[in-house]
Amino acid sequence: MSASYAEAMRKANEIREELIRREDNPPQAWEIEQLLDKSGRELIRTFLQEWLDNLAAKEKVQVDVVGPDGIRRPYARGRSRTLMTPFGEVTANRMGYSAPGATSVFPLDKQLNLPLRTYSPAMQDRVALGVANDSYDKTVEQIDLHTGGHVPKRQAEVVATEYAQDFDGFYRQRQATEHYQAKEDFLILTLDGKGVVMLHEDLREQTRQRAEESVHKLETRLSAGEKHNRKRMATVAAVYSVDAYPRAPEEIMDKEAREQLPPAPKPVDKRVWASLEHSPAEVLDEMVAEGKRRDPTGKLTWVFLVDGSDEQLRQVHKAIKRHKILALVLMDFVHILDYLWDAAWCLYKQADPAAEEWMKQRAIDVLLGKSSDVAGGMRRSATHRGLSEAERKPLDICANHLIKNREHLRYDEALKKGMPIATGVIEGACRHLVRRRMECSGATWRLKGAEAVLRLRAVSMSGDWKEYSAYHREKERSRNYPETAAQRLAA
């Protein structure tokens, strides 16, 4: 063992002796765990510090050191910097090379790919992953509790924002280089919107104007409409593939028949993400690019699952036309059930069991592809019963909706082929990706910070954290330590 690690070995021996000492009158296990946690971190920090010291001692002065600007740095002297790591703070000594009017360069920093900021790569990883899953305050608290380092909240916000900056590039390069053929039957693309409370200056223009024009009804809190005018809509997207799962309409609507069905196939290779910065059209372009990566030869059946928003439908059909793809657009069946229930209460009293039977039969007919017939029959029933315009309004809304969207209600075709007809995946994404994180502690967000958190959370939920971290570190190397013109030519 190199003598240069003598301090670390001395501390390791102290830990060993302390454990031996406590064998005769053993304490509770948690006391030993706490001892090893604290002393173990300090031991690792010492090993790291001595390793850095060894590198500094072995570093030789170089000649003809040239920076990325092509300027030669003839002057060399030792410099030191601190790094905050999960084990504690260490000092890195290395040679810096300078020239009049030029920034110094540090070859050893480049070799080690050290960040320009104080926080080590491992500490940045912890901050970013913590922020993806919990509030900044909780992340800082957990780092203080479970590491030997410390990151102030303000710096944690900066680290998270910078860590997220390679999100778009990571997925673009994966789309360009990692083509594969999915083995499932269907490629599902689904999207929705979820509002996030923003600071006034980061609202979209129309929302900001409405907020400025609104009059506060209460002094101490915002009313429902006023809260809506404080939100910026995030477009939430999900792309996944799934095997066919044929069902009959009766198996959808009858509980006993539904329970006899085999388990539904699980979504495969699911990627979810959300964006406050990008428009729905831009998110749809990204969804199509992701779909083409998964299905480069066009062998899968593409299905867009939507919730019924007119604007969303317009954007989806524009994207299909823009990218010249063949896809079926289906409206969420649960969304249709809500309309049918509203119509049922126009014809039956509340809690009348007959209302449920009426709704079930109309739902089965819709699943059989008879949405126009259902709409006409509902209207005739309302007329026959002599309902006033106000009394039948929900029923007429339902009928209009069924007729207007009949091309998106081709459930008979979908069920025979085994396609999904509900948007549970995207609703779960709205809930888990956006709501649980962005609404914690009543947070009000800046656009840049909110977008960064959504990106980090999306990477984590899509199972891409390890790959993204490696990609981010390489991008950091190229940003922090760009090559000279000569090096670029040689490459």
Side-chain angles (χ1 to χ4, degrees):
M1 178 63 66
S2 170
S4 59
Y5 289 97
E7 178 62 16
M9 295 307 297
R10 184 187 67 78
K11 289 185 177 182
N13 194 53
E14 286 182 353
I15 295 173
R16 173 179 171 274
E17 291 178 351
E18 181 65 16
L19 290 173
I20 292 173
R21 187 181 69 80
R22 298 197 181 202
E23 288 175 0
D24 293 334
N25 185 23
Q28 296 182 46
W30 66 265
E31 296 180 73
I32 294 298
E33 289 177 321
Q34 281 193 343
L35 168 69
L36 291 175
D37 184 44
K38 183 177 180 180
S39 57
R41 285 199 300 261
E42 174 59 21
L43 173 62
I44 295 171
R45 190 204 67 81
T46 304
F47 267 117
L48 178 58
Q49 181 64 70
E50 292 196 87
W51 182 76
L52 291 170
D53 292 343
N54 287 348
L55 294 184
K58 293 177 180 179
E59 187 181 15
K60 296 179 180 178
V61 176
Q62 302 179 34
V63 295
D64 295 325
V65 173
V66 178
D69 51 11
I71 298 175
R72 180 173 173 269
R73 269 72 167 176
Y75 307 113
R77 68 185 179 93
R79 305 277 187 90
S80 65
R81 60 169 297 185
T82 58
L83 275 175
M84 181 61 73
T85 79
F87 320 114
E89 190 174 79
V90 295
T91 301
N93 297 301
R94 70 270 198 258
M95 298 303 300
Y97 297 83
S98 61
T103 58
S104 297
V105 297
F106 302 90
L108 187 57
D109 282 7
K110 179 179 181 179
Q111 182 181 348
L112 299 178
N113 193 17
L114 294 182
L116 300 185
R117 293 192 179 276
T118 301
Y119 305 101
S120 73
M123 184 60 88
Q124 291 183 26
D125 287 347
R126 284 177 180 259
V127 170
L129 188 56
V131 166
N133 293 299
D134 214 330
S135 68
Y136 285 103
D137 288 329
K138 282 290 185 181
T139 298
V140 169
E141 179 185 351
Q142 291 301 307
I143 286 173
D144 286 345
L145 283 173
H146 301 298
T147 80
H150 174 71
V151 182
K153 179 180 177 180
R154 181 71 64 179
Q155 293 303 310
E157 294 173 356
V158 174
V159 168
T161 301
E162 292 182 347
Y163 203 95
Q165 66 184 304
D166 295 309
F167 179 87
D168 289 333
F170 170 72
Y171 284 105
R172 275 197 300 267
Q173 62 85 30
R174 197 168 76 163
Q175 289 161 0
T177 60
E178 296 185 14
H179 295 298
Y180 69 95
Q181 180 66 56
K183 299 177 182 178
E184 291 70 38
D185 299 296
F186 303 111
L187 182 69
I188 309 300
L189 303 94
T190 178
L191 74 160
D192 204 346
K194 180 63 182 164
V196 176
V197 177
M198 309 294 292
L199 290 174
H200 181 76
E201 55 268 33
D202 284 329
L203 295 170
R204 296 190 192 276
E205 181 63 27
Q206 292 181 341
T207 310
R208 186 164 63 247
Q209 289 178 0
R210 289 197 299 270
E212 291 171 353
E213 293 168 0
S214 66
V215 177
H216 294 326
K217 300 180 181 71
L218 302 173
E219 291 185 6
T220 58
R221 62 175 296 171
L222 295 173
S223 299
E226 296 165 352
K227 291 177 183 178
H228 181 75
N229 290 333
R230 294 182 63 209
K231 290 184 177 182
R232 182 176 177 126
M233 193 63 67
T235 303
V236 188
V239 178
Y240 61 94
S241 53
V242 68
D243 281 325
Y245 185 53
R247 297 90 79 207
E250 293 77 12
E251 292 173 324
I252 300 291
M253 296 308 302
D254 185 82
K255 182 180 179 182
E256 291 185 3
R258 193 165 57 245
E259 290 175 348
Q260 299 303 313
L261 287 170
K266 300 292 186 182
V268 177
D269 198 21
K270 181 172 63 178
R271 179 192 166 195
V272 297
W273 72 100
S275 179
L276 288 155
E277 289 184 342
H278 295 164
S279 68
E282 291 171 321
V283 174
L284 276 161
D285 288 343
E286 174 72 7
M287 293 173 71
V288 172
E290 180 70 23
K292 289 181 176 179
R293 178 180 77 90
R294 296 159 183 258
D295 184 31
T297 58
K299 292 183 178 180
L300 300 183
T301 299
W302 288 40
V303 180
F304 278 92
L305 275 174
V306 297
D307 69 356
S309 160
D310 289 343
E311 178 59 25
Q312 188 183 101
L313 284 167
R314 280 194 292 269
Q315 291 289 348
V316 167
H317 283 291
K318 283 182 179 180
I320 291 173
K321 184 177 180 180
R322 185 164 61 246
H323 293 281
K324 298 180 174 62
I325 57 177
L326 184 64
L328 179 65
V329 181
L330 285 176
M331 191 173 289
D332 174 34
F333 180 62
V334 177
H335 172 84
I336 298 300
L337 288 179
D338 290 338
Y339 276 89
L340 290 173
W341 270 116
D342 289 341
W345 300 128
C346 295
L347 304 173
Y348 298 91
K349 293 181 180 180
Q350 290 290 327
D352 186 345
E356 184 172 21
E357 290 304 315
W358 180 93
M359 188 279 300
K360 281 184 178 181
Q361 186 55 57
R362 272 68 192 169
I364 289 173
D365 288 341
V366 170
L367 290 172
L368 288 169
K370 301 176 181 179
S371 56
S372 295
D373 293 341
V374 171
M378 289 165 50
R379 284 175 170 160
R380 287 190 294 272
S381 293
T383 301
H384 178 73
R385 299 187 187 203
L387 299 182
S388 68
E389 184 176 342
E391 290 172 331
R392 64 182 288 166
K393 183 177 179 180
L395 183 147
D396 287 330
I397 290 174
C398 176
N400 291 337
H401 192 71
L402 292 175
I403 292 173
K404 181 178 68 172
N405 292 291
R406 57 184 174 272
E407 287 302 312
H408 304 124
L409 307 180
R410 291 152 62 185
Y411 299 127
D412 52 332
E413 174 186 343
L415 292 178
K416 286 178 182 177
K417 293 182 178 179
M419 299 174 183
I421 60 172
T423 58
V425 168
I426 196 64
E427 290 172 4
C430 287
R431 184 167 58 253
H432 296 290
L433 174 61
V434 183
R435 184 177 178 181
R436 285 191 178 178
R437 178 61 182 89
M438 309 309 287
E439 294 183 6
C440 67
S441 304
T444 301
W445 294 88
R446 296 305 305 255
L447 178 58
K448 191 174 181 180
E451 185 76 1
V453 169
L454 286 175
R455 290 178 171 190
L456 294 174
R457 194 162 175 80
V459 171
S460 177
M461 288 182 62
S462 298
D464 295 328
W465 193 267
K466 185 176 180 180
E467 290 179 63
Y468 178 79
S469 296
Y471 177 84
H472 170 69
R473 282 192 288 269
E474 285 307 307
K475 286 297 178 182
E476 281 284 270
R477 178 195 289 272
S478 63
R479 281 191 291 266
N480 296 340
Y481 305 106
E483 295 180 335
T484 64
Q487 288 171 328
R488 289 193 294 271
L489 286 173

